[in-house]
């Protein structure tokens, strides 16, 4: 257990440093958005491209990994929507947003720093594969369903158009561009010139510490009042149900590379994507989603540590 804590504790110490830096006035909270954009638009794309372009297509296009992560995430998304609608008696829009919080991980900001310590360089490949599922499947689908249930946008009659617009927007996403470029380099066996390769490497190494610092800074000022039951549901779904769903699919599929197998479950176990409250603003659910993000991030220190211990002690899974 001490070895596991040695992996997870530095992650949350950097998050705590970001929180304290904003809390004490060393940084303003809006500056966290600037740093976050730097990570999203430069560091993470460089990291993804470097991880994919340095391997053969057979190594990076891992169909069992994609299938396990996609099926597990979809099961949680639709299971959450069914629960919120039938048990909690809430409309489709809040059900879809809560389902999104349970099924879309913060792979780049929190997942990658943990997985990289566990399995090393293959973590970049796992990150790219997770982001394919999250950006091309879970996020567009959840938002299309949320718009379909939002009468203010008349989306019940044009949800397919919302889905199409979501996909169009992805074409401008630097991370998606990096994934496509990385796959192309892997397919064609291309390599960047040495100077450019070193430049990409330098930018990529900044992704983990800056992203964790940003997560900590964005937690300052989030409120927990008035939404405790839904907040607890989202947090439980994200930290417990999502990794269990991915694990269950992995156990049903033929065995895959041990390192990627661990990576898939760990990526599913991290908190929801950091833009969760921003996405929910359109539906006036930013209070609930911000509270869920705060609680899930804090609770994930214990839940991820316990998960890593269980994978090793109970299943004998080691990278």
């Amino acid at each position: 257990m001490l070895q596991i804590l040695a992996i997870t504790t530095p992650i949350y110490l950097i998050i705590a440093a970001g929180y304290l830096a904003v809390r004490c006035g060393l940084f303003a909270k809006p500056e966290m958005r600037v740093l976050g954009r730097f990570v999203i638009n430069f560091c993470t794309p460089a990291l993804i491209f470097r991880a994919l372009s340095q391997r053969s297509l057979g190594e990076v296009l891992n169909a069992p990994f994609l299938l396990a992560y996609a099926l597990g995430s979809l099961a949680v998304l639709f299971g959450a929507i069914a629960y919120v609608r039938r048990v909690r008696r809430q409309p489709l829009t809040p059900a879809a947003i809560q389902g999104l919080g349970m099924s879309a991980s913060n792979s780049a900001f929190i997942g990658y720093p943990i997985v990289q310590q566990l399995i090393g360089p293959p973590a970049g490949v796992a990150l790219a594969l997770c982001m394919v599922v999250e950006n091309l499947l879970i996020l567009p689908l959840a938002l299309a369903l949320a718009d379909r249930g939002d009468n203010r946008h008349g989306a019940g009659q044009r949800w397919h158009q919302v889905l199409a617009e979501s996909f169009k927007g992805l074409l401008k996403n630097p991370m998606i561009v990096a994934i496509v470029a990385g796959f192309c380099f892997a397919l064609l066996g291309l390599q960047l010139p040495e100077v450019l390769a070193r430049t990409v490497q330098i930018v990529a190494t900044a992704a983990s510490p800056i992203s964790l610092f940003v997560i900590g800074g964005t937690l300052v000022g989030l409120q927990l009042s008035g939404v405790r039951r839904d907040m607890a549901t989202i947090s439980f779904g994200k930290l417990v149900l999502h990794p269990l769903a991915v694990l269950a699919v992995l156990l049903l599929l033929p065995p895959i590379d041990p390192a990627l197998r661990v990576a898939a479950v760990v990526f599913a176990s991290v908190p929801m994507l950091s833009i969760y409250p921003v996405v929910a603003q359109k539906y006036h659910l930013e209070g609930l989603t911000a509270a869920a993000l705060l609680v899930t991030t804090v609770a994930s220190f214990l839940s991820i540590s316990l998960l890593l211990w269980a994978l090793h002690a109970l299943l004998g899974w080691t990278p």
Side-chain angles (χ1 to χ4, degrees):
M1 193 64 180
L2 289 178
Q3 184 179 4
I4 292 171
L5 291 175
I7 293 173
T8 57
T9 300
I11 302 298
Y12 289 89
L13 286 178
I14 299 175
I15 292 175
Y19 180 89
L20 292 174
V22 173
R23 185 77 176 180
C24 297
L26 296 177
F27 284 86
K29 190 170 182 179
E31 292 173 330
M32 294 296 103
R33 180 170 296 183
V34 176
L35 290 175
R37 290 177 62 186
F38 174 66
V39 173
I40 290 295
N41 293 324
F42 290 95
C43 298
T44 303
L47 171 67
I48 292 172
F49 174 79
R50 183 170 182 268
L52 296 179
S53 63
Q54 293 185 337
R55 289 170 172 81
S56 66
L57 186 63
E59 290 181 273
V60 300
L61 196 57
N62 193 299
F65 184 104
L66 284 171
L67 183 62
Y69 200 77
L71 290 179
S73 299
L74 285 172
V76 173
L77 173 63
F78 286 112
I81 292 174
Y83 170 78
V84 174
R85 295 201 70 189
R86 296 181 181 181
V87 178
R88 302 299 309 282
R89 303 293 182 183
Q90 296 184 21
L92 178 59
T93 294
I97 294 301
Q98 291 183 52
L100 175 64
M102 298 184 205
S103 59
S105 294
N106 194 338
S107 300
F109 281 14
I110 299 181
Y112 174 76
I114 296 175
V115 175
Q116 196 275 335
Q117 293 186 74
L118 288 171
I119 68 174
V125 174
L127 169 64
L129 295 174
C130 288
M131 299 197 80
V132 167
V133 174
E134 292 159 0
N135 287 282
L136 299 183
L137 182 62
I138 300 301
L139 185 58
L141 182 58
L143 294 182
L145 290 171
D147 272 337
R148 185 181 185 184
D150 191 347
N151 293 327
R152 293 178 297 110
H153 295 86
Q157 300 176 355
R158 58 179 182 88
W159 69 272
H160 57 284
Q161 296 176 349
V162 176
L163 187 60
E165 289 298 320
S166 297
F167 281 115
K168 289 180 182 178
L170 289 173
L171 298 177
K172 301 178 182 178
N173 187 323
M175 290 183 290
I176 300 301
V177 173
I179 290 172
V180 173
F183 276 128
C184 290
F185 268 65
L187 174 63
L188 300 174
L190 301 176
Q191 294 291 330
L192 287 176
E194 183 67 19
V195 173
L196 289 180
R198 288 183 178 272
T199 303
V200 170
Q201 179 182 359
I202 292 171
V203 176
T205 55
S208 294
I210 297 178
S211 63
L212 294 171
F213 190 86
V214 168
I215 285 293
T218 58
L219 296 180
V220 175
L222 298 184
Q223 302 296 321
L224 302 181
S225 59
V227 290
R228 297 185 186 277
R229 185 173 178 182
D230 288 338
M231 174 186 65
T233 299
I234 297 171
S235 183
F236 178 79
K238 185 68 204 70
L239 298 180
V240 178
L241 298 183
H242 193 194
L244 286 180
V246 172
L247 173 62
V249 178
L250 284 170
L251 292 175
L252 294 174
L253 292 175
I256 67 172
D257 178 81
L260 292 180
R261 182 178 59 184
V262 171
V265 179
V266 175
F267 271 117
S269 73
V270 303
M272 65 281 293
L273 64 171
S274 58
I275 61 169
Y276 187 43
V278 178
V279 169
Q281 284 178 351
K282 178 180 178 181
Y283 313 102
H284 303 289
L285 293 169
E286 60 271 24
L288 166 62
T289 52
L293 176 63
L294 173 59
V295 169
T296 306
T297 302
V298 173
S300 64
F301 172 67
L302 177 61
S303 66
I304 294 173
S305 298
L306 290 175
L307 173 72
L308 293 177
W309 172 83
L311 289 177
H312 176 72
L314 302 181
L315 296 179
W317 284 16
T318 55

